[in-house]
PDB file of all heavy atoms in Angstrom:
ATOM      1  N   LEU A  50     -51.264  70.189 158.327  1.00  0.00           N
ATOM      2  CA  LEU A  50     -52.624  69.665 158.421  1.00  0.00           C
ATOM      3  C   LEU A  50     -53.211  69.393 157.035  1.00  0.00           C
ATOM      4  O   LEU A  50     -53.936  68.402 156.845  1.00  0.00           O
ATOM      5  CB  LEU A  50     -53.509  70.647 159.192  1.00  0.00           C
ATOM      6  CG  LEU A  50     -53.229  70.722 160.702  1.00  0.00           C
ATOM      7  CD1 LEU A  50     -53.970  71.893 161.334  1.00  0.00           C
ATOM      8  CD2 LEU A  50     -53.624  69.415 161.387  1.00  0.00           C
ATOM      9  N   ILE A  51     -52.905  70.263 156.068  1.00  0.00           N
ATOM     10  CA  ILE A  51     -53.357  70.012 154.693  1.00  0.00           C
ATOM     11  C   ILE A  51     -52.690  68.753 154.143  1.00  0.00           C
ATOM     12  O   ILE A  51     -53.334  67.922 153.485  1.00  0.00           O
ATOM     13  CB  ILE A  51     -53.056  71.229 153.794  1.00  0.00           C
ATOM     14  CG1 ILE A  51     -53.903  72.438 154.221  1.00  0.00           C
ATOM     15  CG2 ILE A  51     -53.335  70.899 152.329  1.00  0.00           C
ATOM     16  CD1 ILE A  51     -53.601  73.711 153.453  1.00  0.00           C
ATOM     17  N   PHE A  53     -51.577  66.226 155.905  1.00  0.00           N
ATOM     18  CA  PHE A  53     -52.152  65.068 156.595  1.00  0.00           C
ATOM     19  C   PHE A  53     -53.466  64.657 155.931  1.00  0.00           C
ATOM     20  O   PHE A  53     -53.712  63.461 155.706  1.00  0.00           O
ATOM     21  CB  PHE A  53     -52.381  65.390 158.068  1.00  0.00           C
ATOM     22  CG  PHE A  53     -53.126  64.309 158.805  1.00  0.00           C
ATOM     23  CD1 PHE A  53     -52.468  63.166 159.224  1.00  0.00           C
ATOM     24  CD2 PHE A  53     -54.485  64.436 159.071  1.00  0.00           C
ATOM     25  CE1 PHE A  53     -53.155  62.159 159.904  1.00  0.00           C
ATOM     26  CE2 PHE A  53     -55.178  63.444 159.747  1.00  0.00           C
ATOM     27  CZ  PHE A  53     -54.513  62.299 160.158  1.00  0.00           C
ATOM     28  N   ALA A  54     -54.323  65.637 155.647  1.00  0.00           N
ATOM     29  CA  ALA A  54     -55.585  65.336 154.968  1.00  0.00           C
ATOM     30  C   ALA A  54     -55.313  64.724 153.596  1.00  0.00           C
ATOM     31  O   ALA A  54     -55.994  63.765 153.185  1.00  0.00           O
ATOM     32  CB  ALA A  54     -56.423  66.612 154.838  1.00  0.00           C
ATOM     33  N   VAL A  58     -56.731  60.945 152.847  1.00  0.00           N
ATOM     34  CA  VAL A  58     -57.741  60.845 151.794  1.00  0.00           C
ATOM     35  C   VAL A  58     -57.228  60.006 150.624  1.00  0.00           C
ATOM     36  O   VAL A  58     -57.937  59.113 150.115  1.00  0.00           O
ATOM     37  CB  VAL A  58     -58.159  62.249 151.310  1.00  0.00           C
ATOM     38  CG1 VAL A  58     -58.967  62.159 150.014  1.00  0.00           C
ATOM     39  CG2 VAL A  58     -58.975  62.954 152.379  1.00  0.00           C
ATOM     40  N   PHE A  79     -60.813  66.694 145.055  1.00  0.00           N
ATOM     41  CA  PHE A  79     -59.998  66.940 146.241  1.00  0.00           C
ATOM     42  C   PHE A  79     -58.684  67.622 145.872  1.00  0.00           C
ATOM     43  O   PHE A  79     -58.268  68.578 146.536  1.00  0.00           O
ATOM     44  CB  PHE A  79     -59.716  65.617 146.965  1.00  0.00           C
ATOM     45  CG  PHE A  79     -58.968  65.794 148.255  1.00  0.00           C
ATOM     46  CD1 PHE A  79     -59.650  66.074 149.432  1.00  0.00           C
ATOM     47  CD2 PHE A  79     -57.588  65.706 148.297  1.00  0.00           C
ATOM     48  CE1 PHE A  79     -58.969  66.248 150.625  1.00  0.00           C
ATOM     49  CE2 PHE A  79     -56.896  65.887 149.481  1.00  0.00           C
ATOM     50  CZ  PHE A  79     -57.592  66.154 150.642  1.00  0.00           C
ATOM     51  N   TYR A 174     -61.990  77.827 150.053  1.00  0.00           N
ATOM     52  CA  TYR A 174     -61.485  76.529 149.600  1.00  0.00           C
ATOM     53  C   TYR A 174     -61.203  75.589 150.763  1.00  0.00           C
ATOM     54  O   TYR A 174     -61.382  74.370 150.634  1.00  0.00           O
ATOM     55  CB  TYR A 174     -60.242  76.724 148.731  1.00  0.00           C
ATOM     56  CG  TYR A 174     -60.561  77.300 147.373  1.00  0.00           C
ATOM     57  CD1 TYR A 174     -59.965  78.477 146.925  1.00  0.00           C
ATOM     58  CD2 TYR A 174     -61.486  76.678 146.541  1.00  0.00           C
ATOM     59  CE1 TYR A 174     -60.279  79.011 145.683  1.00  0.00           C
ATOM     60  CE2 TYR A 174     -61.814  77.208 145.304  1.00  0.00           C
ATOM     61  CZ  TYR A 174     -61.201  78.372 144.881  1.00  0.00           C
ATOM     62  OH  TYR A 174     -61.525  78.892 143.656  1.00  0.00           O
ATOM     63  N   ILE A 175     -60.754  76.113 151.905  1.00  0.00           N
ATOM     64  CA  ILE A 175     -60.557  75.260 153.078  1.00  0.00           C
ATOM     65  C   ILE A 175     -61.905  74.749 153.586  1.00  0.00           C
ATOM     66  O   ILE A 175     -62.035  73.568 153.966  1.00  0.00           O
ATOM     67  CB  ILE A 175     -59.818  76.014 154.191  1.00  0.00           C
ATOM     68  CG1 ILE A 175     -58.358  76.247 153.796  1.00  0.00           C
ATOM     69  CG2 ILE A 175     -59.880  75.245 155.502  1.00  0.00           C
ATOM     70  CD1 ILE A 175     -57.533  74.978 153.696  1.00  0.00           C
ATOM     71  N   ALA A 176     -62.920  75.604 153.598  1.00  0.00           N
ATOM     72  CA  ALA A 176     -64.265  75.160 153.999  1.00  0.00           C
ATOM     73  C   ALA A 176     -64.772  74.086 153.045  1.00  0.00           C
ATOM     74  O   ALA A 176     -65.350  73.071 153.471  1.00  0.00           O
ATOM     75  CB  ALA A 176     -65.217  76.353 154.034  1.00  0.00           C
ATOM     76  N   SER A 177     -64.544  74.278 151.741  1.00  0.00           N
ATOM     77  CA  SER A 177     -65.010  73.308 150.739  1.00  0.00           C
ATOM     78  C   SER A 177     -64.297  71.972 150.894  1.00  0.00           C
ATOM     79  O   SER A 177     -64.938  70.904 150.853  1.00  0.00           O
ATOM     80  CB  SER A 177     -64.776  73.863 149.331  1.00  0.00           C
ATOM     81  OG  SER A 177     -65.482  75.067 149.140  1.00  0.00           O
ATOM     82  N   ILE A 178     -62.977  72.023 151.075  1.00  0.00           N
ATOM     83  CA  ILE A 178     -62.214  70.781 151.212  1.00  0.00           C
ATOM     84  C   ILE A 178     -62.558  70.076 152.523  1.00  0.00           C
ATOM     85  O   ILE A 178     -62.525  68.838 152.597  1.00  0.00           O
ATOM     86  CB  ILE A 178     -60.696  71.063 151.096  1.00  0.00           C
ATOM     87  CG1 ILE A 178     -59.955  69.790 150.688  1.00  0.00           C
ATOM     88  CG2 ILE A 178     -60.117  71.594 152.383  1.00  0.00           C
ATOM     89  CD1 ILE A 178     -58.476  70.021 150.408  1.00  0.00           C
ATOM     90  N   SER A 179     -62.924  70.831 153.549  1.00  0.00           N
ATOM     91  CA  SER A 179     -63.324  70.231 154.826  1.00  0.00           C
ATOM     92  C   SER A 179     -64.639  69.469 154.669  1.00  0.00           C
ATOM     93  O   SER A 179     -64.773  68.330 155.153  1.00  0.00           O
ATOM     94  CB  SER A 179     -63.463  71.305 155.903  1.00  0.00           C
ATOM     95  OG  SER A 179     -62.228  71.949 156.140  1.00  0.00           O
ATOM     96  N   VAL A 180     -65.608  70.082 154.000  1.00  0.00           N
ATOM     97  CA  VAL A 180     -66.898  69.419 153.770  1.00  0.00           C
ATOM     98  C   VAL A 180     -66.703  68.180 152.903  1.00  0.00           C
ATOM     99  O   VAL A 180     -67.268  67.104 153.183  1.00  0.00           O
ATOM    100  CB  VAL A 180     -67.888  70.400 153.110  1.00  0.00           C
ATOM    101  CG1 VAL A 180     -69.169  69.672 152.692  1.00  0.00           C
ATOM    102  CG2 VAL A 180     -68.229  71.541 154.067  1.00  0.00           C
ATOM    103  N   HIS A 181     -65.892  68.304 151.866  1.00  0.00           N
ATOM    104  CA  HIS A 181     -65.623  67.160 150.981  1.00  0.00           C
ATOM    105  C   HIS A 181     -64.925  66.038 151.738  1.00  0.00           C
ATOM    106  O   HIS A 181     -65.242  64.848 151.556  1.00  0.00           O
ATOM    107  CB  HIS A 181     -64.766  67.616 149.798  1.00  0.00           C
ATOM    108  CG  HIS A 181     -64.573  66.556 148.766  1.00  0.00           C
ATOM    109  ND1 HIS A 181     -63.334  66.236 148.247  1.00  0.00           N
ATOM    110  CD2 HIS A 181     -65.450  65.726 148.157  1.00  0.00           C
ATOM    111  CE1 HIS A 181     -63.456  65.266 147.366  1.00  0.00           C
ATOM    112  NE2 HIS A 181     -64.735  64.942 147.294  1.00  0.00           N
ATOM    113  N   THR A 182     -63.988  66.380 152.608  1.00  0.00           N
ATOM    114  CA  THR A 182     -63.274  65.383 153.396  1.00  0.00           C
ATOM    115  C   THR A 182     -64.217  64.646 154.338  1.00  0.00           C
ATOM    116  O   THR A 182     -64.140  63.410 154.475  1.00  0.00           O
ATOM    117  CB  THR A 182     -62.145  66.048 154.207  1.00  0.00           C
ATOM    118  OG1 THR A 182     -61.191  66.617 153.305  1.00  0.00           O
ATOM    119  CG2 THR A 182     -61.448  65.050 155.106  1.00  0.00           C
ATOM    120  N   LEU A 183     -65.123  65.370 154.992  1.00  0.00           N
ATOM    121  CA  LEU A 183     -66.078  64.735 155.892  1.00  0.00           C
ATOM    122  C   LEU A 183     -66.982  63.766 155.132  1.00  0.00           C
ATOM    123  O   LEU A 183     -67.314  62.684 155.640  1.00  0.00           O
ATOM    124  CB  LEU A 183     -66.923  65.799 156.604  1.00  0.00           C
ATOM    125  CG  LEU A 183     -66.171  66.661 157.625  1.00  0.00           C
ATOM    126  CD1 LEU A 183     -67.060  67.785 158.140  1.00  0.00           C
ATOM    127  CD2 LEU A 183     -65.675  65.809 158.787  1.00  0.00           C
ATOM    128  N   PHE A 184     -67.358  64.128 153.919  1.00  0.00           N
ATOM    129  CA  PHE A 184     -68.158  63.226 153.077  1.00  0.00           C
ATOM    130  C   PHE A 184     -67.381  61.949 152.767  1.00  0.00           C
ATOM    131  O   PHE A 184     -67.926  60.834 152.867  1.00  0.00           O
ATOM    132  CB  PHE A 184     -68.545  63.946 151.782  1.00  0.00           C
ATOM    133  CG  PHE A 184     -69.022  63.023 150.694  1.00  0.00           C
ATOM    134  CD1 PHE A 184     -70.283  62.443 150.760  1.00  0.00           C
ATOM    135  CD2 PHE A 184     -68.209  62.722 149.604  1.00  0.00           C
ATOM    136  CE1 PHE A 184     -70.721  61.582 149.760  1.00  0.00           C
ATOM    137  CE2 PHE A 184     -68.638  61.871 148.604  1.00  0.00           C
ATOM    138  CZ  PHE A 184     -69.897  61.291 148.679  1.00  0.00           C
ATOM    139  N   LEU A 185     -66.106  62.083 152.427  1.00  0.00           N
ATOM    140  CA  LEU A 185     -65.289  60.908 152.105  1.00  0.00           C
ATOM    141  C   LEU A 185     -65.066  60.029 153.336  1.00  0.00           C
ATOM    142  O   LEU A 185     -65.052  58.798 153.231  1.00  0.00           O
ATOM    143  CB  LEU A 185     -63.942  61.358 151.529  1.00  0.00           C
ATOM    144  CG  LEU A 185     -63.995  62.049 150.164  1.00  0.00           C
ATOM    145  CD1 LEU A 185     -62.609  62.547 149.766  1.00  0.00           C
ATOM    146  CD2 LEU A 185     -64.556  61.113 149.101  1.00  0.00           C
ATOM    147  N   VAL A 186     -64.890  60.650 154.505  1.00  0.00           N
ATOM    148  CA  VAL A 186     -64.705  59.883 155.738  1.00  0.00           C
ATOM    149  C   VAL A 186     -65.966  59.074 156.058  1.00  0.00           C
ATOM    150  O   VAL A 186     -65.882  57.893 156.443  1.00  0.00           O
ATOM    151  CB  VAL A 186     -64.348  60.817 156.910  1.00  0.00           C
ATOM    152  CG1 VAL A 186     -64.426  60.068 158.244  1.00  0.00           C
ATOM    153  CG2 VAL A 186     -62.947  61.381 156.730  1.00  0.00           C
ATOM    154  N   LEU A 212     -56.748  57.271 162.234  1.00  0.00           N
ATOM    155  CA  LEU A 212     -56.562  58.227 161.135  1.00  0.00           C
ATOM    156  C   LEU A 212     -57.883  58.852 160.707  1.00  0.00           C
ATOM    157  O   LEU A 212     -57.964  60.068 160.470  1.00  0.00           O
ATOM    158  CB  LEU A 212     -55.894  57.532 159.948  1.00  0.00           C
ATOM    159  CG  LEU A 212     -54.436  57.104 160.141  1.00  0.00           C
ATOM    160  CD1 LEU A 212     -53.954  56.258 158.967  1.00  0.00           C
ATOM    161  CD2 LEU A 212     -53.540  58.327 160.312  1.00  0.00           C
ATOM    162  N   LEU A 213     -58.939  58.037 160.625  1.00  0.00           N
ATOM    163  CA  LEU A 213     -60.237  58.557 160.210  1.00  0.00           C
ATOM    164  C   LEU A 213     -60.834  59.485 161.267  1.00  0.00           C
ATOM    165  O   LEU A 213     -61.418  60.523 160.931  1.00  0.00           O
ATOM    166  CB  LEU A 213     -61.196  57.402 159.928  1.00  0.00           C
ATOM    167  CG  LEU A 213     -60.901  56.571 158.664  1.00  0.00           C
ATOM    168  CD1 LEU A 213     -61.884  55.417 158.540  1.00  0.00           C
ATOM    169  CD2 LEU A 213     -60.964  57.441 157.405  1.00  0.00           C
ATOM    170  N   LEU A 214     -60.683  59.137 162.548  1.00  0.00           N
ATOM    171  CA  LEU A 214     -61.211  59.996 163.606  1.00  0.00           C
ATOM    172  C   LEU A 214     -60.464  61.321 163.678  1.00  0.00           C
ATOM    173  O   LEU A 214     -61.075  62.384 163.860  1.00  0.00           O
ATOM    174  CB  LEU A 214     -61.131  59.270 164.960  1.00  0.00           C
ATOM    175  CG  LEU A 214     -62.137  58.146 165.180  1.00  0.00           C
ATOM    176  CD1 LEU A 214     -61.912  57.490 166.537  1.00  0.00           C
ATOM    177  CD2 LEU A 214     -63.569  58.654 165.069  1.00  0.00           C
ATOM    178  N   PHE A 215     -59.137  61.278 163.532  1.00  0.00           N
ATOM    179  CA  PHE A 215     -58.365  62.517 163.561  1.00  0.00           C
ATOM    180  C   PHE A 215     -58.721  63.392 162.369  1.00  0.00           C
ATOM    181  O   PHE A 215     -58.842  64.624 162.501  1.00  0.00           O
ATOM    182  CB  PHE A 215     -56.863  62.219 163.559  1.00  0.00           C
ATOM    183  CG  PHE A 215     -56.008  63.418 163.856  1.00  0.00           C
ATOM    184  CD1 PHE A 215     -55.678  63.751 165.162  1.00  0.00           C
ATOM    185  CD2 PHE A 215     -55.561  64.251 162.826  1.00  0.00           C
ATOM    186  CE1 PHE A 215     -54.904  64.876 165.437  1.00  0.00           C
ATOM    187  CE2 PHE A 215     -54.793  65.372 163.087  1.00  0.00           C
ATOM    188  CZ  PHE A 215     -54.466  65.679 164.405  1.00  0.00           C
ATOM    189  N   LEU A 216     -58.894  62.768 161.203  1.00  0.00           N
ATOM    190  CA  LEU A 216     -59.275  63.538 160.016  1.00  0.00           C
ATOM    191  C   LEU A 216     -60.679  64.122 160.181  1.00  0.00           C
ATOM    192  O   LEU A 216     -60.940  65.251 159.736  1.00  0.00           O
ATOM    193  CB  LEU A 216     -59.208  62.653 158.767  1.00  0.00           C
ATOM    194  CG  LEU A 216     -59.477  63.348 157.436  1.00  0.00           C
ATOM    195  CD1 LEU A 216     -58.464  64.459 157.192  1.00  0.00           C
ATOM    196  CD2 LEU A 216     -59.435  62.347 156.282  1.00  0.00           C
ATOM    197  N   THR A 217     -61.579  63.379 160.829  1.00  0.00           N
ATOM    198  CA  THR A 217     -62.926  63.902 161.102  1.00  0.00           C
ATOM    199  C   THR A 217     -62.859  65.120 162.006  1.00  0.00           C
ATOM    200  O   THR A 217     -63.520  66.142 161.764  1.00  0.00           O
ATOM    201  CB  THR A 217     -63.798  62.819 161.756  1.00  0.00           C
ATOM    202  OG1 THR A 217     -63.890  61.681 160.893  1.00  0.00           O
ATOM    203  CG2 THR A 217     -65.202  63.349 162.038  1.00  0.00           C
ATOM    204  N   PHE A 218     -62.054  65.018 163.069  1.00  0.00           N
ATOM    205  CA  PHE A 218     -61.882  66.151 163.988  1.00  0.00           C
ATOM    206  C   PHE A 218     -61.301  67.356 163.251  1.00  0.00           C
ATOM    207  O   PHE A 218     -61.786  68.488 163.422  1.00  0.00           O
ATOM    208  CB  PHE A 218     -60.958  65.733 165.134  1.00  0.00           C
ATOM    209  CG  PHE A 218     -60.599  66.857 166.067  1.00  0.00           C
ATOM    210  CD1 PHE A 218     -61.518  67.306 167.005  1.00  0.00           C
ATOM    211  CD2 PHE A 218     -59.353  67.463 166.007  1.00  0.00           C
ATOM    212  CE1 PHE A 218     -61.187  68.351 167.873  1.00  0.00           C
ATOM    213  CE2 PHE A 218     -59.019  68.498 166.872  1.00  0.00           C
ATOM    214  CZ  PHE A 218     -59.942  68.938 167.801  1.00  0.00           C
ATOM    215  N   GLU A 219     -60.277  67.119 162.430  1.00  0.00           N
ATOM    216  CA  GLU A 219     -59.669  68.213 161.665  1.00  0.00           C
ATOM    217  C   GLU A 219     -60.671  68.847 160.710  1.00  0.00           C
ATOM    218  O   GLU A 219     -60.762  70.080 160.600  1.00  0.00           O
ATOM    219  CB  GLU A 219     -58.465  67.691 160.876  1.00  0.00           C
ATOM    220  CG  GLU A 219     -57.782  68.752 160.028  1.00  0.00           C
ATOM    221  CD  GLU A 219     -56.693  68.191 159.128  1.00  0.00           C
ATOM    222  OE1 GLU A 219     -56.214  67.071 159.410  1.00  0.00           O
ATOM    223  OE2 GLU A 219     -56.320  68.873 158.157  1.00  0.00           O
ATOM    224  N   GLY A 220     -61.431  68.009 160.004  1.00  0.00           N
ATOM    225  CA  GLY A 220     -62.416  68.528 159.062  1.00  0.00           C
ATOM    226  C   GLY A 220     -63.495  69.349 159.737  1.00  0.00           C
ATOM    227  O   GLY A 220     -63.911  70.408 159.234  1.00  0.00           O
ATOM    228  N   LEU A 221     -63.959  68.886 160.911  1.00  0.00           N
ATOM    229  CA  LEU A 221     -64.986  69.630 161.640  1.00  0.00           C
ATOM    230  C   LEU A 221     -64.447  70.966 162.140  1.00  0.00           C
ATOM    231  O   LEU A 221     -65.109  72.004 161.981  1.00  0.00           O
ATOM    232  CB  LEU A 221     -65.494  68.795 162.817  1.00  0.00           C
ATOM    233  CG  LEU A 221     -66.452  67.643 162.485  1.00  0.00           C
ATOM    234  CD1 LEU A 221     -66.714  66.795 163.722  1.00  0.00           C
ATOM    235  CD2 LEU A 221     -67.758  68.173 161.915  1.00  0.00           C
ATOM    236  N   MET A 222     -63.260  70.949 162.751  1.00  0.00           N
ATOM    237  CA  MET A 222     -62.697  72.177 163.306  1.00  0.00           C
ATOM    238  C   MET A 222     -62.400  73.198 162.212  1.00  0.00           C
ATOM    239  O   MET A 222     -62.785  74.363 162.315  1.00  0.00           O
ATOM    240  CB  MET A 222     -61.432  71.859 164.099  1.00  0.00           C
ATOM    241  CG  MET A 222     -61.670  71.029 165.357  1.00  0.00           C
ATOM    242  SD  MET A 222     -62.818  71.814 166.511  1.00  0.00           S
ATOM    243  CE  MET A 222     -61.870  73.249 167.000  1.00  0.00           C
ATOM    244  N   PHE A 223     -61.705  72.764 161.168  1.00  0.00           N
ATOM    245  CA  PHE A 223     -61.386  73.678 160.079  1.00  0.00           C
ATOM    246  C   PHE A 223     -62.647  74.124 159.346  1.00  0.00           C
ATOM    247  O   PHE A 223     -62.768  75.286 158.945  1.00  0.00           O
ATOM    248  CB  PHE A 223     -60.412  73.017 159.099  1.00  0.00           C
ATOM    249  CG  PHE A 223     -58.976  73.323 159.371  1.00  0.00           C
ATOM    250  CD1 PHE A 223     -58.290  72.637 160.351  1.00  0.00           C
ATOM    251  CD2 PHE A 223     -58.298  74.296 158.659  1.00  0.00           C
ATOM    252  CE1 PHE A 223     -56.970  72.919 160.624  1.00  0.00           C
ATOM    253  CE2 PHE A 223     -56.979  74.584 158.918  1.00  0.00           C
ATOM    254  CZ  PHE A 223     -56.313  73.901 159.908  1.00  0.00           C
ATOM    255  N   GLY A 224     -63.586  73.196 159.148  1.00  0.00           N
ATOM    256  CA  GLY A 224     -64.814  73.532 158.431  1.00  0.00           C
ATOM    257  C   GLY A 224     -65.627  74.586 159.151  1.00  0.00           C
ATOM    258  O   GLY A 224     -66.039  75.592 158.568  1.00  0.00           O
ATOM    259  N   ILE A 225     -65.857  74.373 160.455  1.00  0.00           N
ATOM    260  CA  ILE A 225     -66.655  75.327 161.243  1.00  0.00           C
ATOM    261  C   ILE A 225     -65.959  76.689 161.290  1.00  0.00           C
ATOM    262  O   ILE A 225     -66.585  77.739 161.082  1.00  0.00           O
ATOM    263  CB  ILE A 225     -66.885  74.785 162.665  1.00  0.00           C
ATOM    264  CG1 ILE A 225     -67.785  73.553 162.614  1.00  0.00           C
ATOM    265  CG2 ILE A 225     -67.507  75.860 163.557  1.00  0.00           C
ATOM    266  CD1 ILE A 225     -67.922  72.826 163.943  1.00  0.00           C
ATOM    267  N   PHE A 226     -64.654  76.677 161.569  1.00  0.00           N
ATOM    268  CA  PHE A 226     -63.913  77.938 161.692  1.00  0.00           C
ATOM    269  C   PHE A 226     -63.923  78.724 160.385  1.00  0.00           C
ATOM    270  O   PHE A 226     -64.191  79.938 160.376  1.00  0.00           O
ATOM    271  CB  PHE A 226     -62.474  77.641 162.118  1.00  0.00           C
ATOM    272  CG  PHE A 226     -61.591  78.860 162.166  1.00  0.00           C
ATOM    273  CD1 PHE A 226     -61.691  79.772 163.208  1.00  0.00           C
ATOM    274  CD2 PHE A 226     -60.671  79.105 161.157  1.00  0.00           C
ATOM    275  CE1 PHE A 226     -60.886  80.905 163.240  1.00  0.00           C
ATOM    276  CE2 PHE A 226     -59.866  80.225 161.182  1.00  0.00           C
ATOM    277  CZ  PHE A 226     -59.967  81.137 162.229  1.00  0.00           C
ATOM    278  N   THR A 227     -63.628  78.053 159.274  1.00  0.00           N
ATOM    279  CA  THR A 227     -63.531  78.776 158.003  1.00  0.00           C
ATOM    280  C   THR A 227     -64.887  79.204 157.458  1.00  0.00           C
ATOM    281  O   THR A 227     -64.994  80.246 156.813  1.00  0.00           O
ATOM    282  CB  THR A 227     -62.791  77.921 156.947  1.00  0.00           C
ATOM    283  OG1 THR A 227     -63.403  76.622 156.862  1.00  0.00           O
ATOM    284  CG2 THR A 227     -61.325  77.763 157.306  1.00  0.00           C
ATOM    285  N   ILE A 228     -65.929  78.427 157.740  1.00  0.00           N
ATOM    286  CA  ILE A 228     -67.266  78.840 157.301  1.00  0.00           C
ATOM    287  C   ILE A 228     -67.696  80.106 158.049  1.00  0.00           C
ATOM    288  O   ILE A 228     -68.234  81.049 157.453  1.00  0.00           O
ATOM    289  CB  ILE A 228     -68.285  77.702 157.523  1.00  0.00           C
ATOM    290  CG1 ILE A 228     -68.060  76.589 156.496  1.00  0.00           C
ATOM    291  CG2 ILE A 228     -69.716  78.230 157.409  1.00  0.00           C
ATOM    292  CD1 ILE A 228     -68.893  75.350 156.739  1.00  0.00           C
TER     293      ILE A 228
END
Side-chain angles (χ1 to χ4, degrees):
L50 288 170
I51 293 176
F53 173 79
V58 167
F79 184 85
Y174 288 124
I175 289 293
S177 300
I178 202 174
S179 298
V180 172
H181 187 229
T182 297
L183 291 173
F184 164 74
L185 293 175
V186 169
L212 291 172
L213 289 177
L214 287 178
F215 191 88
L216 184 60
T217 301
F218 174 76
E219 179 187 341
L221 284 172
M222 294 302 294
F223 266 81
I225 293 172
F226 175 76
T227 52
I228 287 173

